[in-house]
Amino acid sequence: MNAKNYDLFFNEDADETTLITLTDEDGNSFDTEIIAAIEIEELEKEYVAALPTEPNKDFEEGEVLLLIYTEDANGDPDFAPVEDEEEFEIVSAAFEQFFEEEEDEEYSEDDYLDDISDMFPGVSFKKE
């Protein structure tokens, strides 16, 4: 993924979210937000996990779509469904591992209190 598109999808400005409008095979359009991207070297492809902004008849709340990510000649993003069942299983497992690793890296409550203590010298916080 080129730097321009990475900044577009994973912008650290919490006030802005880039929505991608996708169209299903029935011609229905719906908005999604790209929440993660990975490259699987063995498949020589990049993939994104997209979260629909609103539940619909095809996707329950919290369900993500796994899409093949490519760029056209101008570097603009293009998305395609993962249609091969074996490829889908590989991509699903890779994203499950990715999200598990992300959860492991999140703050624990004790880490949060330690960070607050660092902000206020001379003040200590205890968890009871």
Side-chain angles (χ1 to χ4, degrees):
M1 181 176 296
N2 68 36
K4 176 187 87 169
N5 291 337
Y6 185 86
D7 289 342
L8 177 68
F9 299 132
F10 303 109
N11 177 340
E12 291 190 22
D13 185 358
D15 294 336
E16 293 183 25
T17 300
T18 301
L19 298 180
I20 306 300
T21 302
L22 300 174
T23 305
D24 65 16
E25 61 264 355
D26 297 328
N28 301 316
S29 296
F30 56 97
D31 290 333
T32 63
E33 178 183 354
I34 304 299
I35 59 170
I38 61 173
E39 180 177 355
I40 301 178
E41 291 180 15
E42 295 82 16
L43 300 175
E44 299 179 348
K45 294 180 186 177
E46 287 183 83
Y47 300 88
V48 296
L51 182 66
T53 57
E54 294 182 15
N56 63 41
K57 66 179 179 79
D58 295 322
F59 303 100
E60 296 179 19
E61 187 172 346
E63 188 174 6
V64 298
L65 295 125
L66 303 180
L67 303 167
I68 300 170
Y69 173 86
T70 58
E71 295 171 351
D72 66 15
N74 296 325
D76 295 326
D78 191 29
F79 306 96
V82 180
E83 294 179 349
D84 180 76
E85 192 172 316
E86 184 178 333
E87 179 182 9
F88 184 81
E89 292 299 321
I90 294 169
V91 174
S92 294
F95 270 110
E96 284 178 20
Q97 181 179 359
F98 174 83
F99 287 126
E100 285 174 7
E101 290 172 2
E102 288 290 312
E103 280 183 15
D104 291 344
E105 291 179 12
E106 288 182 12
Y107 277 142
S108 71
E109 189 173 333
D110 292 333
D111 293 337
Y112 177 73
L113 292 176
D114 289 343
D115 286 349
I116 291 176
S117 296
D118 291 342
M119 290 181 215
F120 300 102
V123 176
S124 62
F125 291 85
K126 293 182 184 178
K127 180 180 173 187
E128 294 188 24

